[in-house]
Amino acid sequence: MEIDYVRSRFVKHFDGQTGNVYASPGRINLIGEHTDYNGGFVFPGAIDKGIMCEIRPNGTNKVMAYSIDLKDRVEFDIDDEKGPKASWARYLYGIVQEMKKRGVDVKGFNTAFAGDVPLGAGLSSSAALESCYAYALNDLFGENKVSKWDMVLAGQATEHNYCGVNCGIMDQFASVFGMEGKLMRLDCRSREFEYFPFDPKGYRLVLVDSVVKHELASSAYNDRRKSCENVVAALQKKYPEKTIETLRDADWDMLNAVKDEVSEEDMKRATFVLGEKDRVLAVCDALNAGDYETVGKKMYETHHGLSKEYEVSCEELDYLNDIAREDGVTGSRIMGGGFGGCTINLVKEDLYDHFIADVKKKYAERYGKEPKIYDVVIKDGSRKIC
Ligand code: GLA
């Protein structure tokens, strides 16, 4: 996104002065879905699409914010107890509160922001927004004393405390820590991570957006998380001598041992999580060996699990996955929380043009609209632009 695009609006909607400009990206995730809040591994990377904001302290106690894309303006007092109602402004209000809790003396500011990460497509536009302001507030009011990890946690706490989504840490982590050309393998339990160069020779990663919005998915997402917690509670009861904090601490024998103590639905959810844990490790080995056929196979298995066990797919996403398989695409699966949004596809170079043409045609024939196609470009995380 061009700085001038944001700057011209900022100057026009406030007092003509310029401020500092910051940017934060959305993310992809190669594999490891719904594993973050289960203490497992994820494999995300930051992308070349995100949020950019301009911001300038205004000497008052008020935040005056303008969403360029929505053409909507909101004002709130920093110390207001309830905060604004508009959903986009809740993220901003929440991150202000969470950065204050982490010791940043946030004062009033004017700000305008815009994004080129498609909303509701599973590319974490909300994490990009949180991370962008966490970074900006830390730089402007906090002398950058809040660590990157604390910015990640402030973004996650914003979702939990102000936006009603009990998300894990993957999206905010990817947005803050992203690095050009690298995916990151994160252990969500220990928070250790490794940058992984990702340059699969002869293959391309492409996102196919079903254009089914997943905005109403937050309660279903929270339900999935609850199911995992129910199984953990049953495991803790069965194995009081073991330390079981999340499903990461369970193996297949332990899970089978509580089969009769949990609902069938919760059992299905946990089956997915344990399977996904194994798949991420298999993908790491395969990546180390340059074996992209295995990476792709695991991606299809993940799709199957997300669709049939975790039940976060929808007809349109399943259809996109079927087309990929029929066309001989190496790997394809739902990416992100599910219920709409994109599939991520690992496609051989020489199949790419055919696949894109075919998926557009077949999807449009069935649903009367073309899917959107985004080539994945892995870029840097949160940063100051000027
Ligand atoms: C959403 C959440 C993440 C993660 C994914 C599923 O993107 O924000 O924390 O749980 O879903 O992997």
Side-chain angles (χ1 to χ4, degrees):
M1 190 186 308
E2 299 296 323
I3 297 176
D4 286 352
Y5 179 70
V6 175
R7 175 146 289 170
S8 58
R9 271 75 176 177
F10 181 74
V11 167
K12 179 172 159 217
H13 285 275
F14 295 102
D15 52 12
Q17 303 189 64
T18 59
N20 291 356
V21 179
Y22 302 86
S24 254
R27 60 106 189 86
I28 55 140
N29 183 29
L30 184 64
I31 197 145
E33 226 54 273
H34 292 275
T35 46
D36 56 355
Y37 53 86
N38 285 302
F41 290 90
V42 291
F43 228 116
I47 55 174
D48 62 335
K49 296 177 174 47
I51 298 282
M52 189 182 282
C53 78
E54 180 144 1
I55 169 168
R56 181 184 171 87
N58 60 19
T60 72
N61 210 25
K62 271 193 191 324
V63 173
M64 302 208 239
Y66 183 66
S67 161
I68 297 170
D69 301 326
L70 300 173
K71 299 190 172 47
D72 192 18
R73 190 176 170 127
V74 166
E75 281 184 28
F76 58 86
D77 257 23
I78 296 226
D79 301 318
D80 189 77
E81 288 204 347
K82 288 209 184 94
K85 288 213 176 66
S87 66
W88 65 267
R90 303 260 342 134
Y91 294 109
L92 191 49
Y93 172 77
I95 202 74
V96 165
Q97 308 310 317
E98 292 299 333
M99 291 304 277
K100 275 174 62 184
K101 281 186 205 164
R102 287 160 180 80
V104 177
D105 188 16
V106 183
K107 299 277 195 288
F109 58 86
N110 299 342
T111 187
F113 71 93
D116 58 1
V117 51
L119 298 180
L123 299 176
S124 301
S125 49
S126 56
L129 183 60
E130 291 145 13
S131 309
C132 192
Y133 280 100
Y135 197 94
L137 298 179
N138 195 25
D139 187 49
L140 274 177
F141 302 108
E143 295 159 4
N144 288 306
K145 60 177 181 252
V146 174
S147 70
K148 280 188 166 186
W149 264 114
D150 279 331
M151 287 195 265
V152 170
L153 297 174
Q156 183 196 29
T158 297
E159 298 274 355
H160 289 196
N161 299 335
Y162 304 94
C163 307
V165 182
N166 294 326
C167 64
I169 53 171
M170 169 169 73
D171 305 350
Q172 292 78 9
F173 162 79
S175 188
V176 170
F177 281 94
M179 193 187 280
E180 183 164 356
K182 308 269 196 330
L183 295 182
M184 298 166 286
R185 186 183 60 190
L186 168 69
D187 179 335
C188 298
R189 180 166 66 184
S190 66
R191 297 196 194 138
E192 279 167 11
F193 67 96
E194 213 183 312
Y195 287 103
F196 241 85
F198 188 72
D199 182 20
K201 294 265 176 301
Y203 294 85
R204 276 163 85 166
L205 264 188
V206 61
L207 304 177
V208 180
D209 185 354
S210 64
V211 288
V212 175
K213 296 285 174 223
H214 73 165
E215 278 148 16
L216 298 173
S218 48
S219 64
Y221 180 93
N222 294 347
D223 290 347
R224 298 303 181 280
R225 187 166 184 163
K226 186 78 188 57
S227 284
C228 297
E229 286 163 6
N230 292 343
V231 177
V232 167
L235 287 163
Q236 286 166 338
K237 217 163 148 200
K238 185 89 165 185
Y239 297 99
E241 73 290 357
K242 291 192 199 264
T243 309
I244 302 171
E245 284 170 356
T246 58
L247 286 177
R248 166 78 175 271
D249 304 314
D251 60 26
W252 290 106
D253 288 343
M254 290 161 75
L255 183 61
N256 282 328
V258 294
K259 190 162 89 249
D260 297 331
E261 278 111 74
V262 300
S263 73
E264 215 175 287
E265 187 175 278
D266 290 351
M267 189 67 190
K268 266 205 286 189
R269 307 296 186 241
T271 302
F272 167 77
V273 173
L274 262 64
E276 188 70 350
K277 190 164 82 172
D278 294 346
R279 284 187 286 272
V280 180
L281 297 175
V283 162
C284 291
D285 290 345
L287 282 177
N288 281 329
D291 172 7
Y292 292 102
E293 293 304 310
T294 299
V295 173
K297 191 166 153 264
K298 295 290 156 192
M299 290 169 76
Y300 279 112
E301 286 174 21
T302 290
H303 184 91
H304 183 267
L306 286 169
S307 176
K308 304 292 180 276
E309 294 165 350
Y310 223 59
E311 296 181 286
V312 294
S313 187
C314 60
E315 195 193 305
E316 290 88 342
L317 287 168
D318 286 346
Y319 189 49
L320 289 176
N321 189 259
D322 289 345
I323 300 171
R325 193 188 288 277
E326 281 160 20
D327 282 357
V329 167
T330 306
S332 177
R333 65 174 197 82
I334 303 164
M335 194 186 69
F339 307 103
C342 294
T343 58
I344 180 166
N345 302 271
L346 181 65
V347 192
K348 281 209 170 111
E349 284 287 355
D350 51 12
L351 195 68
Y352 183 85
D353 291 343
H354 168 75
F355 171 57
I356 298 303
D358 197 48
V359 77
K360 280 186 174 171
K361 180 169 154 278
K362 288 188 174 144
Y363 194 80
E365 273 167 13
R366 184 171 295 190
Y367 296 110
K369 56 188 177 193
E370 275 194 0
K372 291 196 179 132
I373 309 295
Y374 314 116
D375 268 312
V376 172
V377 183
I378 310 287
K379 286 290 197 183
D380 286 334
S382 307
R383 62 207 178 273
K384 184 174 182 173
I385 308 279
C386 64

